[in-house]
Amino acid sequence: MQTPTPLEELLDLAADVLRHDRRTLPAGASGSPFLTLGGGLGQAMRLQARADEQLGLTLDVAQLLGAAPLTDVLAGAVPRAAAPPPPPPGPRELPLLPGQLEPLVAQRYVGPGAVHRVLSAELTGPLDPGALRTALGALGARHEGLRTAFPASARGPVRRVLDAHALPLITLPELPGAPAASRAEAVDAVHARLAREVERLIGHPDRPPLAFALTRLAAERHLLSFLCHDAVADAWSAALVWRELLADYARAAARRQPAARTAPPPPAGPPSAEPPGQDGRLTERVERIREFPTVVDLAAPGRRPAVFDFRGERLAVALDPELRDAVDATAARAGVPHGTVLLAAWALAVGRRSGHEWLLVGAELPGRRAGAPLRTVAPGAVTVPVCCELEGGVDYFLRGVACAFGEALACSALDTEALVRELGLRGDRSRTPLTQVTFADHDGLLPARATAGPLTARFHHGHLGGATADAALTVLRWHEEPLLALDFASSVLDRAQAAELADELRAALAALAAAGEADPVEDLLPTPLTSPSLSAATAG
């Protein structure tokens, strides 16, 4: 039997990730980009990770989501770079990684809720504390990002990587009335307590700012919460922590050592020089964004504060499986991933409420470059503006949003501060610059449920009372128990107004799913009667 070529092996992986027939995908991939074959950000990241782990080849996510045919992108894969030699023993003080300085500095001004995250697993079954500690030990030994403290120095915070560090496992007292409370009430109560105590639990400057907190909810029912600073991990890294921890726990509970894995290479440090051509790309991106208003105001007249305070709340947005299936069908018809339809519906709802037919929506992206492995715990998420034009037929509109997302991803390496500076957006402290409305697609990072030996884990995405935008929509789950989260700045929107916005999002999704491919998107939704006045908000 003839040995498959690297391209053929990559096409097989792509077919598996995209759920295509391996026999027919090569014909489509020769003339179609990844996006129009049904691939989205989550699929691109999984394909990149599997190419690295199974074939030792490096793919660039930005190129995967670009306009080039998939076959051309896969043919450009290069061998994985050799791992650097292991560092000498002992603590090391290193420069901060990209994405670490901002949350470390911001914490002084915006409070802990906006710079910490919590992701919990509700564990049902007999819990083995010894196995849990063994699994935590293996996890900490494997990832230097979980052994990193950020002490102050004369030049600001630095990154101190410890040789060894036992990941803290803090047992919290059982909540009064927890056994009788509903699942949602009990989990919300634990997350509320963590929000109040986050600085006490992980705020020591000479220790890594993270911990695992264990709360007993009932007999054979516990909530294990991973609490960390944004300088430690982004959403992609937090999901990696849980996947590895549960796998290691299952082995330890079976009295086997956690799987021996090669330690992932440390996160890449700051680049020594700007990549060639960045100045030209910055100029092009600035000129493109100048066509769009850089203020999208959802606040009622007189409500916006003089200074954005980064305080916020979260509203869960559940969707019916029937609406999910209809959205999937519309995405397949238009040749885009379902995440594009969700982003388009969000832009449509916000545009109708704010009075804009063109608007910028900030998209959260993983910020991993080619060669930066997804199996490394690190920060790095970036928010880049997506240029959304709410016009044309439905399928034309959806494909346009997909292309705009690809363009934004291709520019994710640009310095956001430089972009803001070039656009002249400094000075307004009442709102976040450039994008006041954001979108993140975390679908596929974690399932709704997982198993770890005799335990069943059900994941809960917590919120610690912060907001980094006026309104931020996050896709938490899609294929099973579809669930979105709407985080909103409490100084801009009250809970009733956020609920109205969530209803308008559902209406936009339903309208897109019910419309024909050529139906004008401008006619899908009426302008809400509660739309705020934007007479001062359209100046770019």
Side-chain angles (χ1 to χ4, degrees):
M1 181 179 295
Q2 187 175 1
T3 303
T5 66
L7 177 58
E8 290 170 335
E9 291 180 304
L10 285 169
L11 282 168
D12 281 349
L13 288 182
D16 194 33
V17 167
L18 293 170
R19 299 181 181 179
H20 278 243
D21 190 317
R22 296 187 180 196
R23 296 165 297 179
T24 59
L25 178 65
S30 64
S32 301
F34 189 73
L35 276 170
T36 60
L37 293 168
L41 177 59
Q43 291 95 329
M45 293 179 67
R46 287 197 291 276
L47 179 55
Q48 183 197 49
R50 291 185 61 180
D52 176 79
E53 294 169 2
Q54 296 176 223
L55 304 177
L57 295 173
T58 294
L59 289 168
D60 190 294
V61 169
Q63 292 180 10
L64 274 172
L65 295 177
L70 176 58
T71 299
D72 293 353
V73 177
L74 298 182
V78 297
R80 180 202 307 142
R92 292 168 284 141
E93 287 201 358
L94 302 167
L96 296 177
L97 296 171
Q100 289 183 326
L101 179 61
E102 292 82 355
L104 290 170
V105 171
Q107 185 173 349
R108 304 177 199 167
Y109 308 102
V110 304
V115 294
H116 292 88
R117 64 180 66 241
V118 60
L119 179 57
S120 299
E122 182 184 355
L123 305 175
T124 303
L127 180 66
D128 183 339
L132 180 55
R133 292 189 182 278
T134 297
L136 288 172
L139 189 67
R142 190 179 304 127
H143 293 285
E144 74 169 38
L146 300 177
R147 294 181 275 109
T148 300
F150 301 95
S153 74
R155 61 184 186 279
V158 295
R159 179 167 57 108
R160 179 178 293 164
V161 180
L162 307 179
D163 230 8
H165 176 67
L167 300 185
L169 178 60
I170 302 168
T171 301
L172 298 177
E174 184 173 339
L175 289 167
S182 69
R183 165 182 285 135
E185 289 172 337
V187 171
D188 288 347
V190 173
H191 285 163
R193 178 166 64 183
L194 292 175
R196 294 191 298 268
E197 300 184 9
V198 58
E199 287 191 291
R200 179 183 69 82
L201 295 174
I202 63 173
H204 195 290
D206 294 323
R207 299 174 191 156
L210 63 100
F212 287 83
L214 184 66
T215 306
R216 183 181 183 275
L217 301 179
E220 295 198 348
R221 183 165 159 247
H222 297 79
L223 192 72
L224 183 61
S225 303
F226 175 46
L227 190 65
C228 73
H229 197 285
D230 280 348
V232 171
D234 57 16
W236 289 267
S237 292
L240 172 68
V241 164
W242 273 114
R243 291 197 304 270
E244 291 196 1
L245 178 61
L246 292 179
D248 286 341
Y249 176 88
R251 294 184 65 86
R255 302 298 182 263
R256 292 178 290 166
Q257 286 298 314
R261 297 185 182 93
T262 303
S272 57
E274 286 294 319
Q278 288 291 79
D279 287 345
R281 295 183 70 189
L282 178 63
T283 300
E284 291 177 5
R285 192 63 177 156
V286 166
E287 291 308 309
R288 172 63 172 152
I289 291 174
R290 281 196 199 281
E291 302 175 11
F292 289 74
T294 54
V295 169
V296 174
D297 202 341
L298 297 175
R303 183 175 176 91
R304 179 167 294 281
V307 179
F308 190 80
D309 61 12
F310 294 90
R311 291 183 296 108
E313 299 179 43
R314 168 166 290 184
L315 188 69
V317 183
L319 299 179
D320 293 331
E322 293 79 7
L323 179 55
R324 174 203 59 202
D325 294 344
V327 167
D328 284 343
T330 298
R333 184 192 70 201
V336 299
H338 67 262
T340 295
V341 183
L342 290 163
L343 170 57
W346 180 230
L348 188 59
V350 170
R352 288 294 180 265
R353 174 166 278 260
S354 63
H356 290 296
E357 292 188 355
W358 283 28
L359 72 157
L360 298 174
V361 176
E364 184 189 81
L365 302 174
R368 306 296 206 270
R369 306 291 174 258
L374 294 175
R375 63 183 189 276
T376 301
V377 174
V382 294
T383 299
V384 298
V386 178
C387 301
C388 298
E389 303 176 21
L390 314 183
E391 57 189 26
V394 165
D395 285 13
Y396 174 88
F397 165 58
L398 294 175
R399 291 173 190 140
V401 171
C403 290
F405 181 85
E407 291 170 1
L409 180 61
C411 296
S412 61
L414 294 176
D415 184 348
T416 302
E417 286 296 315
L419 195 62
V420 168
R421 187 171 55 251
E422 290 295 319
L423 288 163
L425 300 180
R426 285 296 177 203
D428 183 356
R429 299 178 62 198
S430 69
R431 67 189 86 241
T432 52
L434 193 55
T435 54
Q436 297 85 47
V437 176
T438 64
F439 174 84
D441 188 355
H442 296 168
D443 171 48
L445 298 185
L446 284 173
R449 297 178 181 80
T451 58
L455 292 179
T456 298
R458 179 186 174 93
F459 293 104
H460 299 276
H461 301 258
H463 184 257
L464 297 177
T468 55
D470 286 4
L473 183 71
T474 303
V475 184
L476 300 177
R477 296 192 301 268
W478 185 248
H479 290 296
E480 50 179 327
E481 300 177 14
L483 180 66
L484 316 179
L486 175 56
D487 295 347
F488 59 96
S490 50
S491 59
V492 175
L493 299 170
D494 60 30
R495 199 162 185 86
Q497 290 166 329
E500 289 175 357
L501 186 56
D503 287 342
E504 288 157 15
L505 168 68
R506 290 190 185 94
L509 276 172
L512 286 171
E517 61 183 274
D519 289 353
V521 71
E522 300 95 321
D523 299 338
L524 292 186
L525 291 178
T527 301
L529 295 177
T530 54
S531 177
S533 170
L534 293 174
S535 58
T538 55

